[in-house]
Amino acid sequence: MRRSHSVLLLAVALFLGLGLASLPDAEARPGGGSSYRGSSRGSSSSRGSSSSRSSSSSSSRSSSFGSSSSRSSSSYSSGPRAYSSGGYSSGGSSSSDGGGAFGGFCLLIVVMGVVAIVVMNVKSGAGQQDWSTTTPHAPPPPQRQGSLRTKLARLARVGPKGSDGSTQPLDPEFSIVLFEDFVYSLFARVHEARGGGRLDTLGGWLSDGAIASLQRMGTPDAVKAVVVGAVTYEAVEGISANSQRVRVVLRFEANYTEVSAGSEQSWYVAEEWLLERDASTKSRAPEDARAFKCPNCGAPLESVHGHKCSYCDTVVNTGEFDWVVTRVASQERERRGPQLTGTTEEQGTELPTVKDSRAQERLNALLHDDPEATPLALRKRLEFIFHEMQTAWAAREWKGMRPFLSDNLFQTQLYWINAYREAGLRNITENAHITNIVLARVTRDAYFDAVTLRVFASSLDYTVRDRDGQVVGGSRSRERAYSEYWTLIRGRGVRGKPSTQKQCPSCGAPLSINMAGHCTHCQARVTSGEFDWVLSRIEQDEAYQG
């Protein structure tokens, strides 16, 4: 009897839900920082039916340098809740706020039906992790092959057998966190060097062919405001015990501004880069990996002329010492800047959580090493960062987020804050709150622990004009539910309870961090996870693949 009653209620809810779906005020959210692809991707009415480029499977498109059977997206959100993939509104009109009395009545019936069903099945939610309230009956994640990011991370574990029969890893100190920091920085530096014809200054990481491809994009007086919106793994090859060469194909989507003869032009670009190195090459320590200097002897960058270091008299762009870009393919290049108004459809929130099968095992290992890094403590740290982020974003005062974000994520978000300010707009996320957090992935390497959590949240989300307060995107009255994958990182040797206080994690002084990420009291660098967990990546649910 209970089952038939539940089915009846569900049928009523579905029937009325279908009716509500036809009402004109469909869910939307501002383009905001998500609009690094500009406004020509399609209107919000068509976005829901088309998959984003970042989330499409690699089987539907071949890489310029070879195809891959799976893709792992590392696309970064360009707003605290903004999409980093998908289409955008082509207009600046705001969505309707009125649903009508009939819509409200139907919604009430739907809610009552759903509540009744949940109450009947409430006991299925028992025994969950401190950060998860999902039931064990949720649908399984979609079938997928191994993440390409995970495949690349195996550089630290695979290798030939030694004389004692044990595995000798190809690169035991390889860190996917440091690799992604490196490629983001390299992309920005390369395009900045394209301005003024200075690509030879980065010849230690570029082949002649790559330089020629970049030069064909033009040589403006300067290139500035380079912001990477997404990086997608297209192919990873050479991760095997007897490999001689490792190759990684990455697809970058980015915005930048070119300056020529005093005139500025903003661009959206998509480029595919092939990076290579010898399988036997060893990764540099974090302090060296983040600095651009001779990859062989460590001499200052000024000593590298073309492909040769004048200090150690060595050609360094061979892949023997570091990654080298051997090919660059320009896939899209369009004159357009960020689209900051209009409304886009929500995508991916209803998708099952993509969870690594070893996530819990690795979390248990982390807890064994640091009993204070509990799910509850990590959740509180994430919630603290989440709420600080919403406040800073709406106020367009991003400096306050410096202690809690990695360098790349901070700079990406700062780009959009400045874009809103220059356009006389403000994107507001009012009443933002987290409704659920689910463990998705845990990775541990020689330098970092990383915990990826799927964050379900809701808020009012709208964009207003400074001069008159008019809404130009989103809604002041209707909350929007969404989910994203957030990755927290911390130094591998760091121990202790995650903080939820605004104080320096090194010296305990009131939080005061300069733009370089150093405490103004003790000069400790606190933004790299060396003292506490920091947010390093935000990935959209429809694009995330593990």
Side-chain angles (χ1 to χ4, degrees), residues 260-506:
S260 297
S263 177
E264 296 188 358
Q265 174 62 56
S266 295
W267 294 86
Y268 159 79
V269 299
E271 298 172 12
E272 200 169 70
W273 287 24
L274 171 61
L275 293 93
E276 301 184 36
R277 55 164 251 195
D278 290 350
S280 59
T281 299
K282 299 298 185 287
S283 294
R284 294 178 289 164
E287 59 272 17
D288 295 324
R290 293 189 174 103
F292 282 84
K293 52 189 178 181
C294 174
N296 179 36
C297 69
L301 183 61
E302 293 75 17
S303 65
V304 180
H305 302 284
H307 306 311
K308 190 173 184 179
C309 174
S310 60
Y311 193 85
C312 63
D313 196 31
T314 303
V315 175
V316 294
N317 75 328
T318 61
E320 179 183 355
F321 308 104
D322 203 351
W323 294 95
V324 58
V325 182
T326 58
R327 218 177 302 178
V328 173
S330 178
Q331 297 183 326
E332 298 182 57
R333 181 171 161 84
E334 301 180 23
R335 289 183 173 89
R336 63 175 186 263
Q339 182 73 16
L340 304 176
T341 60
T343 301
T344 59
E345 297 287 346
E346 188 69 48
Q347 283 193 47
T349 305
E350 302 304 320
L351 292 174
T353 298
V354 178
K355 184 172 182 178
D356 186 89
S357 60
R358 299 187 62 189
Q360 189 61 51
E361 173 191 340
R362 290 173 178 151
L363 178 65
N364 292 340
L366 173 61
L367 286 169
H368 179 270
D369 292 343
D370 182 9
E372 291 191 276
T374 64
L376 180 59
L378 286 169
R379 175 178 182 132
K380 288 184 176 180
R381 174 68 173 176
L382 185 143
E383 288 176 335
F384 173 71
I385 294 174
F386 175 88
H387 289 296
E388 290 295 312
M389 178 178 285
Q390 309 309 313
T391 301
W393 177 263
R396 295 181 307 201
E397 295 294 338
W398 203 240
K399 183 178 179 181
M401 289 306 299
R402 194 68 187 90
F404 311 121
L405 306 180
S406 67
D407 293 345
N408 286 325
L409 186 56
F410 177 82
Q411 292 298 332
T412 300
Q413 308 291 352
L414 181 61
Y415 171 88
W416 298 108
I417 292 286
N418 290 336
Y420 275 111
R421 183 180 290 109
E422 291 171 4
L425 299 172
R426 184 186 302 270
N427 180 242
I428 298 171
T429 54
E430 188 178 340
N431 299 326
H433 57 283
I434 293 174
T435 59
N436 194 16
I437 298 177
V438 180
L439 177 66
R441 175 184 170 90
V442 177
T443 57
R444 311 189 75 194
D445 59 44
Y447 298 110
F448 293 97
D449 289 320
V451 177
T452 300
L453 303 168
R454 190 181 186 189
V455 179
F456 293 82
S458 181
S459 73
L460 296 175
D461 189 344
Y462 55 93
T463 302
V464 298
R465 273 201 305 253
D466 286 341
R467 69 172 184 267
D468 56 11
Q470 181 177 341
V471 174
V472 294
S475 170
R476 287 182 183 269
S477 61
R478 184 179 56 246
E479 285 198 356
R480 304 197 64 181
Y482 59 93
S483 71
E484 297 168 333
Y485 289 82
W486 286 30
T487 297
L488 297 167
I489 64 170
R490 188 181 70 171
R492 182 65 184 262
V494 180
R495 301 289 183 268
K497 185 177 181 180
S499 174
T500 56
Q501 302 297 319
K502 293 184 180 181
Q503 61 186 36
C504 173
S506 174

Side-chain angles (χ1 to χ4, degrees), residues 36-38 41 53 187 191 194 217 226-230 251-258 266-273 329-336:
Y36 63 84
R37 290 182 179 173
R41 292 287 170 193
R53 183 178 297 273
F187 184 91
H191 278 284
R194 193 166 54 80
M217 298 177 190
V226 181
V227 58
V228 178
R251 186 176 194 271
F252 293 86
E253 295 185 65
N255 288 103
Y256 53 68
T257 299
E258 293 183 349
S266 295
W267 294 86
Y268 159 79
V269 299
E271 298 172 12
E272 200 169 70
W273 287 24
S330 178
Q331 297 183 326
E332 298 182 57
R333 181 171 161 84
E334 301 180 23
R335 289 183 173 89
R336 63 175 186 263

Side-chain angles (χ1 to χ4, degrees), residues 29-84:
R29 80 192 302 167
S34 66
S35 303
Y36 63 84
R37 290 182 179 173
S39 60
S40 67
R41 292 287 170 193
S43 67
S44 61
S45 61
S46 64
R47 183 180 187 273
S49 61
S50 62
S51 62
S52 71
R53 183 178 297 273
S54 293
S55 61
S56 61
S57 67
S58 62
S59 60
S60 65
R61 184 175 67 85
S62 295
S63 161
S64 299
F65 312 123
S67 62
S68 169
S69 59
S70 67
R71 295 170 62 182
S72 174
S73 170
S74 61
S75 58
Y76 285 64
S77 167
S78 43
R81 323 107 2 267
Y83 275 110
S84 61

Side-chain angles (χ1 to χ4, degrees), residues 8-26:
L8 176 61
L9 285 172
L10 181 59
V12 172
L14 288 173
F15 174 79
L16 292 175
L18 289 173
L20 285 171
S22 65
L23 293 177
D25 54 334

